[in-house]
Amino acid sequence: MLIYLRVLKESFNFAVNALKNNKLRTFLSLVGVTIGIFSIIAILAAVDSLKKEIESSISSLDTSTMIIARFSFGPTDVPRWKSQQFPNVAYDEYQMLKKTVDDIDQVAFAMSVPNTSMKYDGNTINSVDFMAVTHEHYEIESLKVEEGRYYNESESHSGSQVIVIGYEIATELFGSPAAAIGKKVRMYGRKFTVIGTLEKEGSGMGGGSKDTVVIFPVNAARKIFGDSRNSGFAQIIVKPKAGTDDAEVMGIITQKLRVYRGLKTDDVNTFFINQLKGLVDMIDNITGTMNLVGLMISGFSLLVGGFGIANIMFVSVKERTSLIGIQKSLGAKRRFILLQFLFEAVILALFGGIIGMFFVWVLAQVANIMLDDFEFVLSGFNMFLGTSVSVAIGLIAGILPAISASKLDPVEAIRSGM
């Protein structure tokens, strides 16, 4: 065992000395591997970061949550032109499901409303995301109120002109969330009273932040804009009870809506039940495809780097032919010669990989500074993967030159070097 460790140590020292004595050649060999590893790890890190950001934006919702709408959030067999003719889900359908489906924990109704500005005491803010929803949305999305309160069932049903606003809007219009409570703002030509503010969430790259949102009762929106089933976008949000069979709940909802809409047996559903679990799976598929495409593209640059190392190693064997002959004539075994060149190739590739990962780390720090509230993730798995790929490239690129060096005849090697 000690003999093998000594052989490994001497082989490693020979490889390091060879790399030190040929600095320019070593640098040129590192470039290809560095670019390849940088490309692979940067793409993996970017995709992982984007996936984490998207998932965090929907983390407040249970993955069993279902969204009923006239559009599908994923691929579907129904042609797009046909689904565009489907009517919006209606408020009375939300009420029907709430009354007749026992396995539902919470059900809410939401409708899209046009963007407008908010005005208070001469100040105007335009960057606002308006949400018209029933009071159950508070429980479904697990919203966190910092100051004041959320509107109750009575205010929701009556369409009271009350609003809950995001942290950024409260700060910009009123100076602080606490100062916003009780203030009256003007929007859609009417006055609404601020009764609550939400905790700061941060914008993030994936969007979906509640910092710039204004939430108000859907019946207040229906009073202003009417209840047309063919304009805008409406949705029924359903949260099944814990422990229930999601597929069974979806089946019950489908049957109830088909009967309520008077659809015949041969008629297709004029609505879609989109489950967040399916959305998460779709995100996984998309990010997986992005990773695969990125790896294929980056693989070409890594392949060039591998060929560069192999070429340099063959040149190194040619230059040190005489030295190899002398080593073998003095009793050096084939494994010593093979390990010597194999170590040289692996060290080259490993150094290139480490430099590439260092550049990715620098990129991550810059991205985290420039992209506020977005975290560029360089995971331990990606670093382990980069190291493993580097070692693998070194082994693959160096194995043939190392084998050819170990097979040299000592006499012919010394003679050819003279």
Side-chain angles (χ1 to χ4, degrees), residues 293-310:
V293 173
L295 287 174
M296 290 175 63
I297 295 173
S298 303
F300 285 108
S301 59
L302 197 58
L303 186 64
V304 172
F307 278 125
I309 290 179

Side-chain angles (χ1 to χ4, degrees), residues 29-30 32-41 302 305-306 309 342-358 382-398:
S29 301
L30 288 175
V33 178
T34 298
I35 294 174
I37 294 297
F38 172 81
S39 302
I40 289 177
I41 304 304
L302 197 58
I309 290 179
L342 207 54
F343 266 126
E344 188 172 337
V346 170
I347 292 170
L348 262 176
L350 189 57
F351 281 176
I354 292 172
I355 295 172
M357 286 185 287
F358 173 74
N382 284 339
M383 296 181 69
F384 171 76
L385 180 64
T387 304
S388 301
V389 171
S390 301
V391 172
I393 288 295
L395 288 171
I396 295 171

Side-chain angles (χ1 to χ4, degrees), residues 9 42 50 80 89 144 158 163 220 260 286 319 330 343-344 360-362 366 402 418:
K9 180 182 177 182
L50 183 60
R80 185 174 179 82
V89 292
K144 297 178 180 178
S158 65
I163 58 173
Y260 194 83
I286 292 173
E319 287 181 346
L330 293 176
F343 266 126
E344 188 172 337
V360 176
W361 179 81
V362 172
V366 174
M418 293 178 62

Side-chain angles (χ1 to χ4, degrees), residues 3-19 26 30 309 313 316 320 335-352 390-391 393-403 405:
I3 295 176
Y4 284 105
L5 290 176
R6 185 177 179 184
V7 169
L8 289 174
K9 180 182 177 182
E10 291 181 358
S11 300
F12 179 81
N13 291 334
F14 266 106
V16 171
N17 289 331
L19 295 176
T26 300
L30 288 175
I309 290 179
M313 292 310 301
S316 182
R320 287 149 57 187
R335 63 174 176 270
F336 176 79
I337 304 298
L338 186 141
L339 287 174
Q340 182 184 142
F341 286 93
L342 207 54
F343 266 126
E344 188 172 337
V346 170
I347 292 170
L348 262 176
L350 189 57
F351 281 176
S390 301
V391 172
I393 288 295
L395 288 171
I396 295 171
I399 190 67
L400 288 179
I403 290 175

Side-chain angles (χ1 to χ4, degrees), residues 153-166:
E153 184 176 0
S154 175
E155 292 167 325
S156 178
H157 288 335
S158 65
S160 299
Q161 293 182 176
V162 293
I163 58 173
V164 177
I165 61 177

Side-chain angles (χ1 to χ4, degrees), residues 84-381:
Q84 288 177 337
Q85 297 176 358
F86 293 166
N88 268 322
V89 292
Y91 186 81
D92 55 356
E93 291 174 330
Y94 142 76
Q95 290 180 310
M96 181 271 295
L97 292 176
K98 186 175 182 179
K99 293 175 182 178
T100 60
V101 182
D102 295 330
D103 291 332
I104 289 179
D105 180 29
Q106 296 286 347
V107 56
F109 183 77
M111 64 178 284
S112 63
V113 290
N115 287 334
T116 187
S117 58
M118 283 184 63
K119 296 180 180 179
Y120 170 75
D121 195 24
N123 296 325
T124 302
I125 183 171
N126 296 309
S127 55
V128 182
D129 302 317
F130 291 93
M131 289 180 61
V133 293
T134 54
H135 64 284
E136 299 95 345
H137 185 259
Y138 175 76
E139 296 292 340
I140 293 176
E141 196 161 346
S142 301
L143 296 175
K144 297 178 180 178
V145 175
E146 180 172 335
E147 299 287 345
R149 62 178 179 86
Y150 201 82
Y151 49 86
N152 56 39
E153 184 176 0
S154 175
E155 292 167 325
S156 178
H157 288 335
S158 65
S160 299
Q161 293 182 176
V162 293
I163 58 173
V164 177
I165 61 177
Y167 180 88
E168 190 173 317
I169 293 176
T171 304
E172 188 170 340
L173 274 184
F174 308 104
S176 69
I181 306 302
K183 299 294 192 302
K184 293 185 180 295
V185 299
R186 193 165 188 82
M187 61 189 211
Y188 300 119
R190 291 169 169 79
K191 287 187 177 181
F192 283 76
T193 303
V194 180
I195 62 171
T197 63
L198 301 176
E199 289 186 1
K200 184 177 182 181
E201 195 173 89
S203 59
M205 192 177 184
S209 171
K210 299 296 186 292
D211 288 348
T212 58
V213 77
V214 170
I215 307 174
F216 64 104
V218 74
N219 280 342
R222 293 174 69 212
K223 289 179 181 179
I224 299 172
F225 304 106
D227 201 18
S228 174
R229 297 192 63 180
N230 296 316
S231 62
F233 177 68
Q235 54 187 318
I236 299 173
I237 309 165
V238 176
K239 181 181 179 182
K241 289 182 179 178
T244 57
D245 186 347
D246 292 349
E248 184 178 342
V249 175
M250 290 176 71
I252 294 172
I253 291 173
T254 300
Q255 182 186 17
K256 296 283 185 183
L257 284 176
R258 285 184 63 87
V259 172
Y260 194 83
R261 292 191 173 191
L263 297 176
K264 298 178 181 178
T265 306
D266 296 334
D267 293 339
V268 298
N269 293 335
T270 55
F271 55 88
F272 294 96
I273 302 178
N274 305 281
Q275 193 170 22
L276 287 187
K277 188 182 297 180
L279 181 60
V280 172
D281 292 340
M282 187 174 69
I283 291 172
D284 288 339
N285 291 333
I286 292 173
T287 53
T289 302
M290 292 171 64
N291 273 333
L292 180 61
V293 173
L295 287 174
M296 290 175 63
I297 295 173
S298 303
F300 285 108
S301 59
L302 197 58
L303 186 64
V304 172
F307 278 125
I309 290 179
N311 184 49
I312 292 298
M313 292 310 301
F314 275 116
V315 171
S316 182
V317 171
K318 186 70 175 177
E319 287 181 346
R320 287 149 57 187
T321 300
S322 179
L323 178 60
I324 294 169
I326 294 172
Q327 289 176 336
K328 297 192 76 172
S329 65
L330 293 176
K333 302 294 185 181
R334 285 182 57 181
R335 63 174 176 270
F336 176 79
I337 304 298
L338 186 141
L339 287 174
Q340 182 184 142
F341 286 93
L342 207 54
F343 266 126
E344 188 172 337
V346 170
I347 292 170
L348 262 176
L350 189 57
F351 281 176
I354 292 172
I355 295 172
M357 286 185 287
F358 173 74
F359 284 143
V360 176
W361 179 81
V362 172
L363 176 66
Q365 303 309 307
V366 174
N368 288 334
I369 294 172
M370 295 183 65
L371 301 175
D372 189 26
D373 296 314
F374 177 76
E375 183 182 3
F376 193 96
V377 181
L378 180 57
S379 66
F381 173 77

